[in-house]
């Protein structure tokens, strides 16, 4: 297999300039009482409060803007993608802001909330079956028959570079972090964060659900492993690892730890109770990883400053509506 | 009946100085996309992110500090109160920070989450029955037999002055608001807000659940009306109106509107979905009131800047834990 073209740190810096007018500089929050109880400080980057409710809007905005810059997308363009989650809504809004239409191929079993978000932001949903073959044939038809431009959810240099801007902002606001904890699904956020932080001393720490630990095993075995059945509550992390992220993980020596479903729920509850923030299960995974690591080796964390990217906030309102 | 001693604006200013080291200056947040959709701007004062999860910590901290200043509370003091909600936890933490113990009389049917919070912040829970007579005899016993110092939940000048500091901070951060919307339960927050904003052009607008509209009817009839049965989901607003707040409402001509249970839930869902903030039903009541008023008379709101105090965030995590 030929090597994919890898984005570089300069691509993250360029993405930050390119998308700055459209993407929110989300808040970084910290709680003195929580920090005191833990014995170290946590700075939370609130991508749950990003437009469309997740960091995915960064990469989608960057990728669409690049299509325009390259002269590929012009008036009347239609952008197509596949997504069972936040990327679909993010791409729909990014396309709509650029004046384009969008077609989002969504498997029938996808999260109802995330399907609704695609429609809310002006995307047209194209239902497909659960298999990869069905998804790809529908996408190919959109591309060949309707001339749609394909923006993949994570395995693309412009997407990875765009996602890296969240860690870049966090680093600019809190420059002396020991680690920045990120979830690993397709790997776009982790890959982009590795690029963004590749010049300083801050390490990126990837976290996966134990029930979706394909990236962990991919790194151990040196080749991409298939994803497990989609059963984790962290529905945003059920995707297979991308080739570009995997190459970046190997280049920068990313360490990935895994957490149980109970640890994910406990982290989500802590964010709810202590920060009053709505975070979806996938978005609580990095905090779960940090808490597990700090319990396992308290002395390594005491007095340190830790960053956590709260990657998404699209959880269903329990009161309905 | 003799008139109660009313706090003044200078008491709110003094409270702000007195409590500034212990109370969080909570964020004020606004969302461009929401403002665009509504046609006017809303600035949310996030008291749901205040210590102990509600504005009640402001009044409790002020009242305890005043007892110390007056030489009434010294080493070994015990503070007592009654509360079925956020005041109990707020007072427990305020007492504990001053080095005092606390006893909180809680009716047996109270919200389990709020009972747990009293204990978490070091308060001792004293169970009582649901009637006023049972509550008062238990409180009297604590005061007479154990020398406890009583800090009531809202009908006290130091509590009202402390609660007013939230509106004061909002006014300092966004000085040109047309209205500031607050919930009305016992009336401490609304009364304190009236004092805080009594010198500028910003109006205070009180909102109550239709199922707990005693303050609305008290103002219409010119005397305090009994509260209705405690059935509204806005459990923080089931209390009877206090005499000091009522006197302030009349002095400043507060207008109070009422909202349905569905309107409260819809406002809570909007805060969840658009701001990713956890707000308890009582804390969503003022937004519900603002939305209802702006639907009824859109032209009166178009282009205006509105303030909303998100008074509390102590809602049960739906995932358990």
């Amino acid at each position: 297999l030929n090597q994919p073209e890898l984005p570089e740190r300069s691509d993250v810096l360029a993405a930050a300039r390119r998308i700055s007018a459209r993407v929110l500089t989300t808040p970084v929050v910290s709680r003195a009482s929580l920090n005191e109880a833990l014995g170290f400080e946590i700075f939370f980057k609130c991508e749950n409060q990003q437009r469309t409710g997740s960091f995915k809007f960064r990469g989608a905005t960057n990728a669409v803007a690049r299509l325009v810059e390259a002269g590929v997308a012009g008036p009347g363009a239609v952008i197509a993608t596949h997504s069972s989650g936040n990327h679909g809504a993010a791409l729909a809004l990014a396309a709509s802001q650029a004046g384009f239409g969008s077609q989002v191929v969504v498997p029938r079993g996808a999260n109802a909330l995330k399907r609704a978000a695609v429609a809310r932001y002006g995307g047209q949903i194209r239902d497909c079956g659960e298999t990869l073959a069905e998804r790809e044939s529908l996408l190919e038809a959109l591309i060949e028959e309707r001339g749609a431009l394909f923006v993949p959810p994570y395995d693309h240099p412009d997407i990875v570079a765009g996602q890296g801007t969240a860690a870049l902002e966090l680093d600019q606001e809190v420059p002396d972090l020991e680690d920045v904890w990120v979830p690993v699904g397709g790997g776009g956020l982790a890959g982009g964060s590795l690029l963004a932080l590749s010049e300083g001393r801050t390490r990126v720490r990837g976290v996966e659900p134990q029930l979706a630990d394909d990236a962990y095993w991919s790194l151990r075995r040196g080749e991409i492993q298939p994803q497990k059945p989609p059963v984790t509550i962290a529905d945003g992390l059920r995707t297979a690892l991308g080739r570009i992220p995997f190459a970046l993980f190997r280049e920068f020596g990313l360490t990935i730890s895994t957490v149980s479903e109970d640890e994910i729920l406990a982290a989500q509850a802590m964010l709810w109770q202590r920060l009053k923030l709505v975070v979806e299960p996938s978005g609580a995974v990095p905090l779960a990883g940090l808490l597990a690591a700090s319990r396992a080796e308290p002395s390594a964390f005491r007095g340190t400053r830790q960053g956590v990217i709260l990657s998404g906030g699209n959880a269903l309102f329990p009161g309905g509506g």
Side-chain angles (χ1 to χ4, degrees), chain A residues 78-100:
Chain A
V78 172
I79 316 288
T81 195
H82 60 86
S83 170
S84 59
N86 288 325
H87 173 68
L91 188 74
L93 182 61
S96 145
Q97 288 194 334
F100 304 144

Side-chain angles (χ1 to χ4, degrees), chain A residues 111 114 183 209 232-238 259 261 263-265 267-268 271 278-288 311-316:
Chain A
N111 181 322
K114 293 179 177 178
T232 174
I233 53 167
D235 62 324
L237 307 180
R238 293 171 185 163
V259 290
E261 300 291 292
E263 288 173 320
I264 297 168
L265 265 177
Q268 196 188 13
L271 293 162
V278 176
V279 176
E280 59 185 279
S282 303
V285 162
L287 174 60
S311 53
N314 292 324
L316 197 62

Side-chain angles (χ1 to χ4, degrees), chain A residues 3-16 18-19 58-64 66-67 150-165 187-189 191-193 195-196 242-248:
Chain A
Q3 281 299 309
E5 184 204 347
L6 296 187
E8 300 178 355
R9 183 164 191 273
S10 59
D11 297 311
V12 180
L13 301 177
R18 189 177 294 118
I19 68 180
R58 294 174 179 273
T61 300
N62 190 49
V64 170
R66 287 271 289 168
L67 290 174
F150 178 46
V151 171
Y154 45 85
D155 209 2
H156 190 283
D158 297 334
I159 294 285
V160 171
Q163 318 301 32
T165 60
L189 181 63
S193 301
L195 292 175
R243 291 176 64 221
I244 291 174
F246 181 58
L248 292 170

Side-chain angles (χ1 to χ4, degrees), chain A residues 82-152:
Chain A
H82 60 86
S83 170
S84 59
N86 288 325
H87 173 68
L91 188 74
L93 182 61
S96 145
Q97 288 194 334
F100 304 144
S102 59
Q103 301 265 336
V104 182
V105 175
V106 180
R108 286 198 187 82
N111 181 322
L113 184 72
K114 293 179 177 178
R115 291 175 76 93
V118 171
R120 174 147 40 101
Y121 293 111
Q124 194 176 339
I125 292 177
R126 306 298 303 255
D127 288 303
C128 77
E130 303 279 351
T131 70
L132 185 65
E134 287 174 89
R135 183 182 88 189
E136 297 206 325
S137 74
L138 181 49
L139 253 180
E140 270 165 32
L142 287 171
I143 293 164
E144 284 171 27
E145 293 161 26
R146 308 201 30 181
L149 300 164
F150 178 46
V151 171

Side-chain angles (χ1 to χ4, degrees), chain A residues 220-304:
Chain A
R220 293 244 344 218
R221 295 188 178 146
E223 59 183 338
I224 292 181
Q225 302 296 307
Q227 183 56 288
K228 294 179 169 181
V231 291
T232 174
I233 53 167
D235 62 324
L237 307 180
R238 293 171 185 163
T239 45
L241 181 62
R243 291 176 64 221
I244 291 174
F246 181 58
L248 292 170
F249 292 3
R250 292 185 20 131
E251 180 181 338
F252 292 103
L254 178 69
T255 54
I256 294 179
S257 58
T258 63
V259 290
S260 70
E261 300 291 292
D262 282 351
E263 288 173 320
I264 297 168
L265 265 177
Q268 196 188 13
M270 177 184 281
L271 293 162
W272 171 286
Q273 287 154 358
R274 305 295 290 254
L275 283 89
K276 305 300 176 189
L277 287 176
V278 176
V279 176
E280 59 185 279
S282 303
V285 162
L287 174 60
L290 166 55
L291 294 175
S294 69
R295 274 193 306 272
E297 201 181 355
S299 62
F301 288 85
R302 202 164 295 134
T304 64

